[in-house]
């Protein structure tokens, strides 16, 4: 197996748009939008953490037309122009990437995909592994034994087997697939009436696009919906299918003024970074730069979150409980603890259908226990019964004086409520702590542990498997289940001890957590279990009252403006506010509005 660090090629244009639509509407005091900048740079940080020894290059689309526009005048024609708020964030993103020392690549006349395809081919020919970081399905055509995809927004990776699993086709047929069914995103026409299932059926049965057209007489007999008329449809639109094949094909032979050996990071320009982060009001990143004594490329990169003092990893001591004496010993210990973390293991993510399999708890870092009672696979060892375990835990869990915490603890309270235990005394939830500290990061426990504890946890798929053959928790051998479940409780406790001090350092964030997020948790739990009653008559009355108030406010607005206009029209409203009433403008769009 090749141990060389992979070359990481980032589809910057893909992430730019995806970050813009996924990011919260952040802006600085000057009104500059900053949400997409922050999300893209978070993605860059994640890649640098995942691939610390790798050269990483950011590739963006250039302005202007490409060769595909010459092939097909309607290529991407239906795409709206770039939103003003996104356009305003492109330059800061480019500035940050350059200041971080990463290669920033923009080549005119071709798309970012083509540059990535060319660099990936060059690296593969040199037997260097390549990771393409993208969310674009078209890139699947580039996957081969040396090239794989990594989507940092969904944390999914795709090799050849992954492409086959996702699309039902190997990578070398992805272009043919797109040629037949088209691509609405890029306005690639394809063959009218041919969708995903039809394209998959044709290629699976007959081969690539050329084979389909060589074997049109076999199409009518295929087990495909509308197969009898499909051959004629394919014949009629062959030219469009061939054109679509050209449009969907990523070039791998672009003439580039550099090669893969030139894609090495430069020392970071910390002064430029600091000035940029100060302008955009990324305060924690500014603090990190201020605290950095050796501003190299890696050191200058802002981590996922505000840094916390490093503490040595605790000695791990996990226990699996099989007797009442062992359980009672732990219950006594939990009763004397200031607070403890607990977690449930179940058969389903649907809390109304899930059956309890076991519970785990921890009250000191590195120490935790798992109590199995629902593992029913063939040969499973004797366990305590659910009744014995819950009877022992019920007084503790229902006592508000005994403080508890969990990771997404609302789920656990649902499951325990189904078993007749109504948990009281919940004071912390690490999912909510993580959300308030940084709402743009992934909030599952594995990701939080990676970000805040720098620890790789055992993932559920590691012990249960994936896909149709995945086991439910009751089918997992206890010797595998116990360390996993105990780790859940231990990591939850340690996450709280890391995250909560960060909240305490910011009075505003702490107030959001203690006055909004945590009080809302039991309210949502009750609504999810019982629904919410609505008085339809009162609701109708309120609607009428609001309509009356809105009408009055509209009349007042017309009076102040001296004329009637459409309040819902930004253009008309802007005309009234800024041109007629001469209200000072705080900023203008790129087009001067």
């Amino acid at each position: 197996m090749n141990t060389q660090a992979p070359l990481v090629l980032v589809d910057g244009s893909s992430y730019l748009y995806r970050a813009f639509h996924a990011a919260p509407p952040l802006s600085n005091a000057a009104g500059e939008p900053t949400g997409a900048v922050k999300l893209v740079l978070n993605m860059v940080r994640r890649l640098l953490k995942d691939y610390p020894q790798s050269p990483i290059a950011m590739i963006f689309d250039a302005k202007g037309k490409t060769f595909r526009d010459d092939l097909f005048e309607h290529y991407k024609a239906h795409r709206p122009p770039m939103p003003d708020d996104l356009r305003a964030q492109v330059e800061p993103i480019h500035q940050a990437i350059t200041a971080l020392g990463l290669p920033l690549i923009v080549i005119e006349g071709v798309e970012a995909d083509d540059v990535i395809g060319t660099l990936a081919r060059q690296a593969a020919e040199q037997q260097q592994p390549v990771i393409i970081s993208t969310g674009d399905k078209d890139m699947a055509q580039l996957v081969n034994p040396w090239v794989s995809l990594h989507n940092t927004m969904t944390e999914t990776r795709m090799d050849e087997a992954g492409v086959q699993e996702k699309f039902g086709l190997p990578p070398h047929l992805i272009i043919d697939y797109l040629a037949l069914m088209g691509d609405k995103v890029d306005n690639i026409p394809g063959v009218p009436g041919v969708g995903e299932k039809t394209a998959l059926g044709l290629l699976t049965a007959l081969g690539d696009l050329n084979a389909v057209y060589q074997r049109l007489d076999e199409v009518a007999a295929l087990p495909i919906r509308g197969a009898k008329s499909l051959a004629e449809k394919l014949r009629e639109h062959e030219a469009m299918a061939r054109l679509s094949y050209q449009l969907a094909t990523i070039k791998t032979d672009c003439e580039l003024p550099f090669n893969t050996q030139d894609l090495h990071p430069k020392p970071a320009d910390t002064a430029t970074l600091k000035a940029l982060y100060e302008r955009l009001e990324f305060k924690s990143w500014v603090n990190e730069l201020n605290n950095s004594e050796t501003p190299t490329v890696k050191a200058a990169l802002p981590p996922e979150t505000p840094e916390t003092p490093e503490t040595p990893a605790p000695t791990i001591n996990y226990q699996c409980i099989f007797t009442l004496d062992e359980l009672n010993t732990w219950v006594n210990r939990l009763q004397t603890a200031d607070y403890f973390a607990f977690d449930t293991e179940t058969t389903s993510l649907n809390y109304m259908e899930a059956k309890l399999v076991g519970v785990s708890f921890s009250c000191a870092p590195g120490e935790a226990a798992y109590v199995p009672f629902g593992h029913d696979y063939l040969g499973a060892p004797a366990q305590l019964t659910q009744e014995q375990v819950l009877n022992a835990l019920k007084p503790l869990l229902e006592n508000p004086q005994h403080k508890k915490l969990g990771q997404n603890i609302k789920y656990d309270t649902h499951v325990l409520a189904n078993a007749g235990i109504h948990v009281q005394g919940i004071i912390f939830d690490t999912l909510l702590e993580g959300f308030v500290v940084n709402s743009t990061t992934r909030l599952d426990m594995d990701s939080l542990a990676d970000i805040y504890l720098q620890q790789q946890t055992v993932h559920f798929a590691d012990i249960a498997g994936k896909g149709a053959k995945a086991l439910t928790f009751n089918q997992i051998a206890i010797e595998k289940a116990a360390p996993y479940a105990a780790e859940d409780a231990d990591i939850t406790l340690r996450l709280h001890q890391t995250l909560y001090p960060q909240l305490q350092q910011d009075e505003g964030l702490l107030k959001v957590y203690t006055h909004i997020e945590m009080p809302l948790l039991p309210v949502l739990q009750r609504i999810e279990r019982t629904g919410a009653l609505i008085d339809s008559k009162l609701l109708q009355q309120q609607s009428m009252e609001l309509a009356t108030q809105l009408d009055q406010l509209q009349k007042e607005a017309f009076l102040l403006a001296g004329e009637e206009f459409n309040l819902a029209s930004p253009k008309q409203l802007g005309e009234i506010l800024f041109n007629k009433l001469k209200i000072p403008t705080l900023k203008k769009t790129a087009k001067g509005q």
Side-chain angles (χ1 to χ4, degrees), residues 125 152 241 271 321 381 577:
E125 288 176 351
T152 57
I321 294 176
L577 294 178

Side-chain angles (χ1 to χ4, degrees), residues 25-35 85 88-89 92 276 279-281 587:
L26 303 178
S27 61
N28 62 7
E32 291 182 278
T34 61
D85 276 1
Q89 296 183 75
L276 180 63
R279 190 188 100 203
L280 298 176
E281 298 175 4
K587 70 168 186 172

Side-chain angles (χ1 to χ4, degrees), residues 432-451:
L432 296 178
E433 289 175 340
F435 170 74
V436 176
V437 168
N438 187 347
S439 64
T440 65
T441 59
R442 294 174 64 86
L443 298 173
D444 59 281
M445 191 198 73
D446 297 327
S447 297
L448 291 175
D450 183 24
I451 295 168

Side-chain angles (χ1 to χ4, degrees), residues 374-385:
H375 292 266
D376 53 9
Y377 57 88
L378 186 64
Q383 304 150 63
L384 293 173
T385 66

Side-chain angles (χ1 to χ4, degrees), residues 20 31-34 36 82-90 587 589-590:
F20 176 70
E32 291 182 278
T34 61
M82 181 181 286
D84 292 336
D85 276 1
L86 176 56
R87 183 179 291 105
Q89 296 183 75
V90 172
K587 70 168 186 172
T589 68

Side-chain angles (χ1 to χ4, degrees), residues 208-238:
D208 62 14
L209 188 67
N210 287 329
V212 169
Y213 277 101
Q214 290 168 3
R215 301 169 64 180
L216 281 179
D217 56 336
E218 301 176 38
V219 171
L222 295 178
I224 297 175
R225 186 177 180 180
K228 291 183 179 180
S229 61
L230 184 56
E232 185 57 37
K233 190 180 297 183
L234 288 165
R235 186 176 290 108
E236 179 184 352
H237 298 284
E238 180 176 359

